[in-house]
Amino acid sequence: MPELPEVETIARGLTKAIVGKTIERVDVRLAKMALAPAGVSFAHALAGERIAGVMRRGKYAVIGLRSGRRLVTSLRMTGRLVVQRPGEPDFPATHIALQFTDRTRLNFADVRTFGRMRLVEPGEEWELGLGIEPFSSDFTQEWFLSMLSGRTTPVKALLLDQRRIAGIGNIYACEALWEAGIRPSRPAKALTKAAIHRLHHAIIDVLQRAVDLRGTSIDDYVDADGLQGGFQNVLAVYGRAGDACHRCGTLIVRTVIGARGTWWCRTCQR
DNA sequence: CTGAGATCCTGGGGGC
DNA sequence: TGCCCCCAGGATCTCA
């Protein structure tokens, strides 16, 4: 599932690969994945546009266009944005293909077809309700403390809520809670100030280490060049049910919180 | 405001 | 070994 580190890696790769290129035509093979504008106008609106830059916001990849419009892409679970060179076959399950004038293509592929692209007009607010960036100066210990305070919700569910913090998904929520030594089901208001500070630090640390390793490739994720990340090799808990905790040797367990698989250590996370 | 549940899909895993 | 069935999972919406 592409989360902040994966989308950041994709955005950086796309910056190198497609900035300055001009879109010649767009093939929308699965209409529902081009959310707006609906119908053929999506492809028509993009034809002739030039790529100005690529950035990330939360788990969204934002492709900036010379006109000031932005192509906002949500990858959901299995979406991929991969650049194809001339002569290379389309990536499997490509549902939207941006063909550039130099014959390279940007393929938006998604086996489960949950991903979406949306063309946003200049000045149009698309990120209303999206929470703060973990790497921004807004993500302070004080803000985090007040966000968690008084809530009976399991702390893990709050980490996954994109309206509060943008970019954390299931993998990095599990990993950060392990690093901070906090039980994922713990009601947020039951955390000590010291624990909240540890978690704040762990979130930034885990996300930064994952960005440095170009993301986590478990099932589907690959970067803009089709390459896998490296963080799957250093995961502490995610997907490790039955394996020994790196810290204490206790076997990692999998439980369900908020309908999400949750991996953690019963000994070091309290 | 908050939480629960449904929805969308399909590859892959589990069960028999 | 082979086949069928079930279901995870992010964002969004509805409902209590």
Side-chain angles (χ1 to χ4, degrees):
Chain A
M1 311 132 256
E3 307 177 23
L4 184 153
E6 290 75 33
V7 181
E8 180 68 30
T9 303
I10 289 168
R12 290 179 185 180
L14 289 179
T15 299
K16 287 182 183 170
I18 67 170
V19 168
K21 293 186 190 299
T22 300
I23 299 170
E24 185 173 280
R25 57 185 294 250
V26 176
D27 286 335
V28 179
R29 298 164 195 166
L30 188 60
K32 70 171 185 178
M33 287 184 62
L35 194 62
V40 291
S41 52
F42 179 85
H44 287 164
L46 284 169
E49 280 274 18
R50 186 182 258 194
I51 308 297
V54 185
M55 51 130 4
R56 176 196 60 75
R57 171 79 170 97
K59 301 177 191 175
Y60 296 86
V62 183
I63 301 172
L65 305 169
R66 274 290 175 83
S67 65
R69 295 190 291 193
R70 289 149 292 166
L71 187 57
V72 178
T73 304
S74 169
L75 298 166
R76 293 291 186 95
M77 275 103 63
T78 51
R80 310 175 183 200
L81 282 172
V82 184
V83 176
Q84 305 297 136
R85 304 299 190 267
E88 289 179 343
D90 273 349
F91 211 71
T94 292
H95 300 304
I96 298 177
L98 279 63
Q99 164 110 36
F100 299 107
T101 52
D102 67 356
R103 317 312 289 170
T104 59
R105 303 179 310 286
L106 176 60
N107 282 343
F108 184 25
D110 189 347
V111 167
R112 292 191 189 171
T113 74
F114 287 172
R116 296 289 183 270
M117 275 184 163
R118 174 180 178 174
L119 188 60
V120 176
E121 294 299 319
E124 185 181 349
E125 290 281 352
W126 67 272
E127 54 187 285
L128 287 176
L130 199 55
I132 65 175
E133 287 288 326
F135 290 144
S136 79
S137 57
D138 294 336
F139 185 51
T140 62
Q141 290 192 347
E142 293 70 30
W143 178 89
F144 194 47
L145 190 69
S146 65
M147 189 275 277
L148 296 175
S149 70
R151 300 185 189 279
T152 56
T153 308
V155 58
K156 188 197 175 204
L158 292 172
L159 297 186
L160 291 175
D161 187 344
Q162 302 301 300
R163 296 168 302 178
R164 303 178 192 281
I165 305 173
I168 302 174
N170 208 16
I171 296 173
Y172 301 109
C174 291
E175 294 294 307
L177 286 162
W178 178 84
E179 185 169 315
I182 296 168
R183 180 164 45 86
S185 60
R186 205 99 189 278
K189 69 177 188 181
L191 296 179
T192 64
K193 197 170 179 180
I196 290 172
H197 285 177
R198 287 202 308 276
L199 183 54
H200 178 268
H201 179 269
I203 288 168
I204 295 170
D205 182 70
V206 164
L207 292 174
Q208 186 59 59
R209 288 192 291 115
V211 168
D212 291 345
L213 288 175
R214 307 174 54 79
T216 304
S217 293
I218 294 179
D219 292 320
D220 297 276
Y221 164 70
V222 290
D223 70 11
D225 298 312
L227 303 174
Q228 295 202 329
F231 202 75
Q232 65 279 6
N233 300 315
V234 297
L235 290 170
V237 285
Y238 186 86
R240 296 190 65 241
D243 292 344
C245 172
H246 293 323
R247 202 155 43 201
C248 73
T250 304
L251 301 188
I252 301 299
V253 294
R254 179 190 185 277
T255 58
V256 175
I257 296 173
R260 299 278 157 69
T262 303
W263 288 265
W264 55 291
C265 173
R266 289 191 190 279
T267 301
C268 6
Q269 291 180 257
R270 304 183 172 276

